[in-house]
């Protein structure tokens, strides 16, 4: 999707777990992409709404 989002692998793994926890707890579907944006924005890439939806879709199939 964007290699810049995973320049710090440990950070990416922690935030991936956070996102999976959000999904497992049944966090409001509209709020999950906003969380993904917050979790993954600021590395060497940026997360817009479309990319956040892709992250959530990927997490939904992997968590």
């Amino acid at each position: 999707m964007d290699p810049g989002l995973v320049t710090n692998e440990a950070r990416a793994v922690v935030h991936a777990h956070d996102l999976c926890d959000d999904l497992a707890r049944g966090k409001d579907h509209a709020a999950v992409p906003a969380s993904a944006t917050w979790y993954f924005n600021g590395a060497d890439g940026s997360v817009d709404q479309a990319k956040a939806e892709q992250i959530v879709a990927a997490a939904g199939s992997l968590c």
Side-chain angles (χ1 to χ4, degrees), residues 1 4 7 9 11 13 17 28-30 36 39 42 48 50 54 58 61-63:
M1 177 181 320
T7 56
E9 188 174 325
R11 178 182 182 269
V13 169
H17 283 268
D28 180 54
H29 178 72
Y39 294 147
D48 59 12
Q54 291 176 332
S61 66
L62 296 172
C63 296

Side-chain angles (χ1 to χ4, degrees), residues 19-49:
L19 187 57
C20 285
D21 287 344
D22 289 346
L23 293 169
R25 286 192 306 255
K27 189 171 186 176
D28 180 54
H29 178 72
V32 177
S35 294
T37 299
W38 187 84
Y39 294 147
F40 293 98
N41 216 10
D44 286 339
S46 63
V47 179
D48 59 12
Q49 182 66 28

